[in-house]
Amino acid sequence: MLVHLLKCFGAAPGGGNAALVVENDDSSETARQQFARERQVSACVFLGRQADGGIVLDYFYPHTRSPLCLHATLAAAHVLLTAPGAPAALTVTTAMRGQALQLVRRAEGIFIGLTPQPAPAVMVEKYVPSELMGQHMHLLSPPVIASVGSPKLLLEVADRTTLRALRPNLELIADWSALHQVNGCYAYSRTGEHEYEGRNFNHLDPALEDSATGVAAGALSAHLQQSLRLHQGHVTQQPCLIEVQYSAQAIWVGGMVQRST
């Protein structure tokens, strides 16, 4: 087993959301989940190399297996595309749903190309956002569920002050998400022209709040049908920046990635 520790989407050198990339591992799903739980890094991705040369990415958070995690994918892309003799582009698939992901190394950094995916058709009643957030919520737009592979309930709040002060009911979010096959809530606010700040709520432990959530950035871009820059991690003291380039053909999610010692 070969394990790489990387930090992804950092807004400055040394920062970012940590991910472990694991190579040469053929252990069971149960063993992989145990590995992720013991490491307590926000995400682990296991690289599976098939006989035909294909590469499969299998994602684990400390508490559960995931169909897709883009900060872990960015970490995997760095390992795969920066090795000696590596190609500048590569197609991989996800383990749980067989989703194709394009990995590309460009002059401005590494990007992941993917497309919008079907999202659960859920009628979100007016009272639901307030109950999930544990306070009365005045949203600037109707709540929506969008997905690029891991569905998120998107909630637009008035400003970053409101966003940063949120103390949601994490147990209720987990129960509601499981009931409706959604992977948590993403609250966000617009801070400028194509500039946003967001927070992801998908863990029972507040200390495990994500510093960067690429799948939410992709979902937001798909919902708004525009390119954007998404800031995250102020509350966790790990400022991150996710760049999303939108087109009708593909959504490209990228950002800084660097090895951590």
Side-chain angles (χ1 to χ4, degrees):
M1 181 188 292
L2 181 60
V3 181
H4 311 267
L5 174 61
L6 299 100
K7 286 194 171 181
C8 306
F9 295 124
N17 204 12
L20 290 176
V21 180
V22 184
E23 297 186 89
N24 305 330
D25 172 81
D26 59 359
S27 60
S28 67
E29 179 183 334
T30 300
R32 290 180 173 186
Q33 186 63 75
Q34 180 66 23
F35 177 91
R37 187 178 303 115
E38 290 174 352
R39 297 314 184 277
Q40 284 297 306
V41 173
S42 61
C44 297
V45 57
F46 294 82
L47 304 187
R49 299 180 186 270
Q50 299 178 310
D52 62 1
I55 295 176
V56 177
L57 304 186
D58 199 6
Y59 308 96
F60 289 82
Y61 300 135
H63 67 295
T64 190
R65 193 183 188 200
S66 176
L68 181 64
C69 174
L70 288 190
H71 91 269
T73 303
L74 192 67
H78 185 277
V79 170
L80 292 168
L81 299 180
T82 62
L90 191 64
T91 299
V92 300
T93 58
T94 63
M96 286 184 70
R97 296 180 181 168
Q99 182 180 356
L101 306 175
Q102 310 298 320
L103 311 181
V104 177
R105 186 179 74 245
R106 302 175 180 167
E108 65 269 32
I110 295 174
F111 282 80
I112 305 156
L114 65 176
T115 58
Q117 301 294 304
V122 179
M123 177 67 71
V124 182
E125 302 290 350
K126 280 188 174 182
Y127 64 86
V128 169
S130 295
E131 286 200 350
L132 296 180
M133 293 298 108
Q135 66 184 70
H136 176 70
M137 296 295 293
H138 171 67
L139 300 179
L140 296 189
S141 60
V144 65
I145 297 172
S147 177
V148 291
S150 181
K152 294 289 181 184
L153 173 61
L154 303 177
L155 306 175
E156 184 181 10
V157 302
D159 50 47
R160 59 161 55 113
T161 300
T162 302
L163 179 73
R164 294 175 180 180
L166 290 174
R167 298 295 181 268
N169 186 329
L170 297 176
E171 289 189 3
L172 187 58
I173 289 174
D175 291 343
W176 186 91
S177 298
L179 178 64
H180 297 292
Q181 297 183 309
V182 174
N183 290 322
C185 298
Y186 197 79
Y188 70 96
S189 67
R190 186 174 181 272
T191 58
E193 186 68 23
H194 301 301
E195 295 268 347
Y196 296 84
E197 183 173 328
R199 292 178 66 191
N200 186 58
F201 303 116
N202 194 32
H203 292 283
L204 290 174
D205 184 353
L208 294 178
E209 181 176 329
D210 243 351
S211 296
T213 313
V215 291
L220 183 59
S221 175
H223 167 56
L224 298 175
Q225 296 187 345
Q226 68 176 48
S227 299
L228 54 86
R229 287 161 51 90
L230 182 63
H231 298 265
Q232 194 176 331
H234 177 273
V235 171
T236 61
Q237 299 182 345
Q238 282 287 347
C240 291
L241 174 62
I242 306 171
E243 302 271 0
V244 188
Q245 301 169 357
Y246 175 86
S247 74
Q249 291 72 40
I251 295 171
W252 294 92
V253 179
M256 182 184 293
V257 55
Q258 55 194 320
R259 291 185 179 270
S260 183
T261 56

